[in-house]
Amino acid sequence: MQVGSLLQQLDPSHLTVPHRSLPPSSALLERGEAHESAAGPCFEKAEIQRQRKKGGLLCDLFLEQDNHHLNSRSPVHGWGYFLDCMESERSKRMGNACIPLKRIAYFLCLLSALLLTEGKKPAKPKCPAVCTCTKDNALCENARSIPRTVPPDVTSLSFVRSGFTEISEGSFLFTPSLQLLSLANNNLQTLPKDIFKGLDSLTNVDLRGNSFNCDCKLKWLVEWLGHTNATVEDIYCEGPPEYKKRKINSLSSKDFDCIITEFAKSQDLPYQSLSIDAFSYLNDEYVVIAQPFTGKCIFLEWDHVEKTFRNYDNITGTSTVVCKPIVIETQLYVIVAQLFGGSHIYKRDSFANKFIKIQDIEILKIRKPNDIETFKIENNWYFVVADSSKAGFTTIYKWNGNGFYSHQSLHAWYRDTDVEYLEIVRTPQTLRTPHLILSSSSQRPVIYQWNKATQLFSNQTDIPNMEDVYAVKHFSVKGDVYICLTRFIGDSKVMKWGGSSFQDIQRIPSRGSMVFQPLQINNYQYAILGSDYSFTQVFNWDSEKATFVKFQELNVQAPRSFTHVSINKRNFLFASSFKGNTQIYKHVIVDLSA
C-alpha cells in the first residue's frame, strides 16, 4: 500500500461524521482508567505509564492486547468510532472507550513503517562527472576510462576526446539497452574479447580513428564483425607491418595463425640416461630408459591416477647404453647393449612377471655397441647394431622364430656411431625400398639399399661433403623424405631426398651437438638440436619456407636423445641427459586468441 493512499483513508475529511473537537492524546492517556465490558478489561494506568517511559506509540502494547478487535474493523469504522467515543463525557463511561486509541496507535505505527520503507529505495545511478546525460543519451568527454555509473537505460553512449588506450572487460555490462556506441577517435589498440556480449540491441558501433593492432587478441573482433547485425563503419589496422592499413572488416579468421605449441616441464627423473624408447605391449604404453652408470634398463608405466610416470620393472646389467624393445606378435623382447660384459636379449615372461635372459649376442662382432635399430621387411623382423670399436662389425640380426641370429655384417672396422632405417624411392622406380644409413667418425655417412633378390643390403653409396657426422635421423613431410645430420664440430644439416641423392636444404650451427632429432607430434613436425655447451634448441617446421624455424629453448645437460611418448591423448617429450636428470616435458597447445 502506498503512503498517500493510507493517508487518504485516515483523513477524517472523508468520513461522514460531524466535526468534533478532540482532546489531546496525552489527556486521553491520563484518563485511561480501567473499564470492564463484555470484551474484557482494558489496559491499566500503570501499564500506560510504563510504556510512556519507554517511548513510542504504544504499538506493541495495543497490538498485543487487542489484535483481534483491531482486525475486525475497517479503518473508516475506526475513525468514526473514535470520534463518537470522544464527543462527550458520556464516552468516558463506555466500556470499550480504549479501543479507538489503540486503533489510532496501530495506524500511526504502520504509517511510520511505510515512510521508512519508502526512504530506503535505492537511488538511480547518477550521471558520471565526465558525462552529460539526458533520458536516453550519455556523452562523455576527456574520460580516462569507461565509467561504471552510466544510467542503465541509456540507448546512446559516446566518448569524445578521451585518453584511454584500453577498455576493461565487462565495461558495458550495466548498459544492456545500448543501441548506439561510439568509441571513435581514441587511442585503442585492441578490445577485450566479448566486450559487446549482452548488447543485443546494438544497431550502430563506431570504432573509427583508433590504432588497432591486428594480432591474435583482435581475432575475435574479426569473427564478431562477420555475424553481427549492427552497422560498423570501416576500420583499419595500424599493425603489425604485414596488416598495416588493411581493412579489418575485410579480414577473416583464417588470416590469423593463433595456435602455438610449447614444451612445458612436467617431471624430473633423478638419474642420468642415454637412450630412451617407447613401445606398446598388451594394450598399454611403456617407456624404457638406458642408465649407463647404474647399468640398468628402467621400465616406466603411466599412472592413470597420479598422472605421472612410475617405475614398472628393470633389467640389471653393466654399462648399459641401449635398451631396445621389439614386440613380435604378442611377445616382448628387449635387446640390451652393454659396453662391458657382452650384450644380451631378454624375454618378458608373463607367467613369472619378469624379464628372463634368453640369448647372448656374439661378442666377437659386437665389441662396443653404440646404437640399435629395429625394422620389419616382408614380414620378417630384424635389428641392427652399430659397433663403434676399431675391431667390431656393424651387424644385422634376423628373427627365425626361436631367436635372433646373425644375418649380415656391414661396414667392418669403421667405428660406426649410428644406424638409421628408412624407406625411399629411387628414380626411376615408384615403390619405396628399405635403406640403411650408417654414420661413422672415420668417413662420410654410407647408404645401403635392400636387395629383394638376395635379401641383403648392398649398393653402397655415401652422402658427399659431410664428414664427421655423428648421427642421421629421418622424417617425412607430405611424402618427401628428409634427414637431419648431427655434427659435433661444424654445422648440422637438413637434407632432402631428390630421387637419387640427398640435397642440402638448411644449415644450423651446432657446436658440441650429439643429437639432432626430428619427431612428429600430431600435425606438428619438430627437430630438436641438443648441445653439450648451450641450451637445447627446438625447431618447428615452416611448411611455406620448407625449413625449420627456432621457437623454444630447453635446459638439458648433455642431451643424448629425444623421444616422443603418447599416452591417453597426452603427448610427452623425454630428454635423456648424460650429466644431469632425465627430463619429461608435456606438449602443450596454446590458443593466443582465447
Side-chain angles (χ1 to χ4, degrees):
M1 179 186 295
Q2 298 296 320
V3 176
S5 61
L6 178 61
L7 291 174
Q8 186 178 11
Q9 291 187 43
L10 295 180
D11 188 355
S13 63
H14 292 272
L15 303 177
T16 58
V17 297
H19 176 72
R20 298 174 176 86
S21 60
L22 299 178
S25 59
S26 60
L28 291 174
L29 289 174
E30 290 177 357
R31 294 201 306 266
E33 300 176 356
H35 294 277
E36 296 289 339
S37 67
C42 187
F43 55 83
E44 298 184 0
K45 184 175 182 178
E47 183 64 19
I48 295 174
Q49 292 175 348
R50 184 177 66 83
Q51 292 293 334
R52 289 179 64 188
K53 290 180 181 180
K54 292 171 60 179
L57 294 171
L58 307 179
C59 288
D60 295 338
L61 179 63
F62 298 148
L63 292 176
E64 180 182 351
Q65 290 187 344
D66 201 16
N67 185 54
H68 173 74
H69 191 76
L70 289 173
N71 290 334
S72 66
R73 295 175 178 266
S74 68
V76 175
H77 286 140
W79 272 97
Y81 188 55
F82 174 73
L83 293 173
D84 288 340
C85 185
M86 295 292 110
E87 68 175 330
S88 65
E89 288 294 323
R90 182 171 54 86
S91 63
K92 297 179 183 180
R93 296 189 296 272
M94 294 175 62
N96 57 354
C98 62
I99 299 297
L101 183 60
K102 291 190 290 182
R103 185 174 298 279
I104 291 298
Y106 167 75
F107 284 118
L108 289 175
C109 290
L110 179 60
L111 178 60
S112 300
L114 288 174
L115 289 173
L116 289 173
T117 305
E118 196 77 13
K120 291 182 179 179
K121 286 186 177 180
K124 292 184 178 180
K126 295 182 179 180
C127 186
V130 295
C131 303
T132 301
C133 302
T134 62
K135 180 181 179 182
D136 298 324
N137 304 310
L139 177 64
C140 305
E141 297 186 53
N142 298 318
R144 293 295 177 263
S145 62
I146 304 294
R148 294 297 183 97
T149 57
V150 176
D153 52 353
V154 299
T155 59
S156 175
L157 178 60
S158 301
F159 294 88
V160 295
R161 293 188 294 275
S162 297
F164 49 75
T165 58
E166 59 182 18
I167 296 178
S168 303
E169 294 184 9
S171 292
F172 304 114
L173 287 177
F174 302 104
T175 52
S177 301
L178 280 181
Q179 298 177 17
L180 187 149
L181 175 63
S182 176
L183 298 170
N185 301 311
N186 290 291
N187 298 315
L188 295 173
Q189 296 182 4
T190 189
L191 291 172
K193 189 175 183 180
D194 296 333
I195 189 66
F196 305 129
K197 187 175 183 180
L199 303 181
D200 300 329
S201 301
L202 271 182
T203 59
N204 191 288
V205 180
D206 193 351
L207 298 172
R208 294 173 296 174
N210 289 292
S211 303
F212 288 118
N213 186 34
C214 297
D215 58 8
C216 289
K217 293 181 180 179
L218 214 62
K219 179 182 177 182
W220 76 269
L221 179 62
V222 172
E223 296 173 343
W224 181 81
L225 289 172
H227 63 72
T228 183
N229 293 323
T231 299
V232 183
E233 299 294 338
D234 289 343
I235 49 179
Y236 296 86
C237 303
E238 286 299 319
E242 59 267 28
Y243 288 140
K244 187 174 179 64
K245 300 305 180 183
R246 284 193 61 179
K247 189 187 299 184
I248 298 179
N249 310 60
S250 65
L251 296 176
S252 69
S253 58
K254 296 180 180 179
D255 294 318
F256 297 85
D257 185 12
C258 299
I259 304 298
I260 65 168
T261 61
E262 66 176 2
F263 291 97
K265 189 71 167 294
S266 174
Q267 191 176 345
D268 257 351
L269 303 177
Y271 43 75
Q272 295 85 2
S273 58
L274 282 178
S275 73
I276 300 178
D277 284 278
F279 64 96
S280 298
Y281 176 58
L282 300 180
N283 298 321
D284 282 319
E285 302 296 324
Y286 299 90
V287 179
V288 57
I289 302 174
Q291 297 182 7
F293 300 107
T294 62
K296 292 182 178 180
C297 294
I298 297 293
F299 292 82
L300 305 179
E301 65 178 351
W302 177 251
D303 189 323
H304 294 273
V305 177
E306 298 295 332
K307 308 300 181 186
T308 58
F309 291 91
R310 65 186 180 189
N311 287 345
Y312 169 71
D313 205 342
N314 66 82
I315 297 174
T316 302
T318 305
S319 300
T320 303
V321 292
V322 182
C323 304
K324 196 70 175 183
I326 179 172
V327 179
I328 300 177
E329 295 179 350
T330 60
Q331 183 60 58
L332 171 63
Y333 300 92
V334 181
I335 305 124
V336 180
Q338 302 181 147
L339 296 180
F340 305 102
S343 298
H344 313 283
I345 300 175
Y346 289 80
K347 173 184 176 181
R348 182 68 181 179
D349 190 325
S350 57
F351 295 102
N353 197 28
K354 64 179 182 180
F355 289 99
I356 300 174
K357 185 170 71 172
I358 62 169
Q359 185 179 345
D360 295 328
I361 297 177
E362 47 195 338
I363 197 171
L364 294 178
K365 291 184 178 181
I366 307 301
R367 297 174 179 270
K368 193 178 180 181
N370 204 68
D371 186 34
I372 298 177
E373 183 84 344
T374 61
F375 53 92
K376 187 178 183 180
I377 301 176
E378 299 175 356
N379 295 322
N380 292 313
W381 280 101
Y382 303 84
F383 74 83
V384 53
V385 182
D387 189 272
S388 60
S389 67
K390 292 181 180 180
F393 294 83
T394 293
T395 304
I396 300 172
Y397 293 84
K398 181 181 178 181
W399 173 256
N400 69 354
N402 296 314
F404 289 93
Y405 295 93
S406 177
H407 179 72
Q408 182 182 3
S409 292
L410 303 171
H411 221 216
W413 312 314
Y414 276 106
R415 302 180 65 181
D416 296 326
T417 54
D418 179 83
V419 56
E420 178 77 352
Y421 174 83
L422 70 166
E423 296 182 357
I424 53 179
V425 178
R426 284 186 176 270
T427 306
Q429 299 176 357
T430 58
L431 296 178
R432 292 179 179 270
T433 56
H435 287 72
L436 290 177
I437 302 179
L438 298 183
S439 301
S440 172
S441 59
S442 60
Q443 67 175 46
R444 294 187 292 268
V446 179
I447 304 174
Y448 288 86
Q449 182 179 353
W450 178 255
N451 188 317
K452 188 175 182 179
T454 62
Q455 299 286 293
L456 298 172
F457 284 96
S458 60
N459 194 20
Q460 177 179 333
T461 59
D462 62 16
I463 300 176
N465 304 318
M466 284 301 297
E467 288 77 12
D468 298 321
V469 172
Y470 182 80
V472 174
K473 303 299 177 184
H474 84 283
F475 65 97
S476 297
V477 175
K478 296 180 179 179
D480 293 323
V481 178
Y482 300 81
I483 56 174
C484 293
L485 300 93
T486 310
R487 299 178 73 186
F488 191 82
I489 300 174
D491 294 341
S492 292
K493 280 188 178 182
V494 180
M495 305 184 78
K496 179 181 178 181
W497 177 252
S500 58
S501 63
F502 284 100
Q503 303 165 358
D504 285 2
I505 295 296
Q506 185 176 8
R507 289 174 175 263
I508 299 177
S510 59
R511 179 176 176 269
S513 296
M514 297 187 71
V515 55
F516 187 19
Q517 179 68 55
L519 53 89
Q520 185 173 8
I521 300 178
N522 298 330
N523 295 324
Y524 300 96
Q525 180 64 55
Y526 301 101
I528 305 178
L529 182 66
S531 173
D532 285 6
Y533 304 132
S534 61
F535 287 103
T536 292
Q537 301 177 58
V538 183
F539 297 86
N540 193 9
W541 181 258
D542 187 323
S543 57
E544 293 184 0
K545 299 178 181 178
T547 56
F548 282 109
V549 178
K550 178 183 173 182
F551 83 102
Q552 189 177 356
E553 289 185 341
L554 306 177
N555 187 11
V556 184
Q557 297 183 52
R560 293 295 180 266
S561 66
F562 297 99
T563 305
H564 169 222
V565 178
S566 180
I567 294 180
N568 288 351
K569 297 182 179 180
R570 294 178 172 88
N571 292 286
F572 299 92
L573 173 69
F574 276 68
S576 69
S577 173
F578 188 67
K579 296 181 179 179
N581 288 344
T582 301
Q583 299 181 22
I584 305 175
Y585 294 86
K586 184 177 180 180
H587 183 255
V588 180
I589 299 176
V590 181
D591 186 354
L592 296 179
S593 66

